[in-house]
Amino acid sequence: GLDETYYATQAQIEAGEDKNAKNPGESEEGLYKFTEGTWKWVMENALAQMARWHEKGLLWTISVNLSARTLQTYDFVAQLQTLLAKYPSVKPQHFELEILETEALHDLTQTSETMIACQALGVKFSLDDFGTGYSSYLYLMHFPVSTIKIDKAFLQKIEDINSYHILDSICKISHKLGLKVVAEGVETAEQLSLLKHLNCDYIVTGK
């Protein structure tokens, strides 16, 4: 049911410890998916959890997965503003909205305008499953994101020289644009070692 929120720990590679993020969201393993009828519930639940953390001085970030369809809801920005106002102890810069890039393709202009309006409220954006869409870098030109999350398919073949060079280019371009890079689905010490060499910023294990 939807009476629970699941969290996955995101670890900062350089620190070698869990540091900055707890991520409720859609799960490829079937925990739950967000629909138009549940996104408000999910966001409010996340903000309520953040309020509890922030009141204790724990400035962790929560990332909520959203489809482009949800982001393009006509009153999305107003709804977000109302929810943020309901939890004044939450620092909006620690609330991240994570977009599945394959769904965000349909209307670049409207999506970008909505994201800019949300950014004005203080929230940040990330692109999930980066590299799987045919226009991945096009999104970086249009969308005001602060983080990209590399699809785990790249990690499964990171020992392959071609996959390694692709990941290297993604990390270098992202860093030149001032973006943080998260690698999803890290399962082995060898993968972690290679990601350190590529200067990847964060990892999510076993996703």
Side-chain angles (χ1 to χ4, degrees), residues 2-199:
L2 285 173
D3 57 343
E4 298 182 32
T5 300
Y6 292 84
Y7 298 89
T9 301
Q10 178 174 296
Q12 187 171 17
I13 288 182
E14 292 180 357
E17 59 186 9
D18 296 349
K19 182 177 180 180
N20 188 39
K22 309 291 180 179
N23 300 323
E26 291 177 307
S27 171
E28 294 177 352
E29 286 132 14
L31 294 179
Y32 55 79
K33 288 180 178 287
F34 299 164
T35 66
E36 291 185 40
T38 61
W39 68 265
K40 294 176 188 176
W41 178 90
V42 172
M43 291 180 68
E44 178 155 15
N45 195 45
L47 286 166
Q49 178 62 68
M50 289 180 71
R52 290 190 287 271
W53 284 338
H54 288 191
E55 287 167 0
K56 297 178 181 179
L58 302 173
L59 299 182
W60 287 330
T61 293
I62 278 187
S63 179
V64 176
N65 275 19
L66 292 176
S67 69
R69 178 180 298 179
T70 297
L71 191 62
Q72 293 173 45
T73 303
Y74 77 96
D75 62 345
F76 181 83
V77 178
Q79 292 282 356
L80 175 61
Q81 187 172 19
T82 299
L83 287 171
L84 290 172
K86 188 174 179 179
Y87 298 94
S89 64
V90 170
K91 299 182 184 299
Q93 64 267 33
H94 292 285
F95 190 52
E96 181 181 79
L97 301 178
E98 182 174 322
I99 304 171
L100 289 172
E101 60 163 334
T102 52
E103 294 184 89
L105 179 64
H106 302 305
D107 192 334
L108 292 177
T109 300
Q110 183 180 349
T111 302
S112 178
E113 290 174 353
T114 301
M115 290 172 70
I116 291 171
C118 292
Q119 270 195 330
L121 300 176
V123 303
K124 296 182 178 181
F125 284 91
S126 65
L127 284 179
D128 197 19
D129 295 338
F130 187 83
T132 56
Y134 69 88
S135 298
S136 294
Y137 288 106
L138 180 64
Y139 302 142
L140 299 186
M141 293 172 58
H142 285 273
F143 296 161
V145 300
S146 59
T147 302
I148 65 166
K149 300 188 176 183
I150 300 173
D151 185 76
K152 64 181 181 180
F154 287 99
L155 272 295
Q156 294 170 351
K157 296 184 178 181
I158 193 173
E159 295 85 359
D160 176 79
I161 190 65
N162 290 330
S163 295
Y164 180 86
H165 285 319
I166 290 172
L167 284 172
D168 184 37
S169 68
I170 290 174
C171 289
K172 286 179 178 176
I173 291 174
S174 298
H175 289 149
K176 285 183 178 180
L177 294 174
L179 307 178
K180 296 293 185 182
V181 179
V182 178
E184 299 180 325
V186 179
E187 297 178 345
T188 70
E190 184 176 6
Q191 289 173 343
L192 178 59
S193 177
L194 290 171
L195 288 168
K196 286 181 179 179
H197 185 71
L198 294 175
N199 295 317

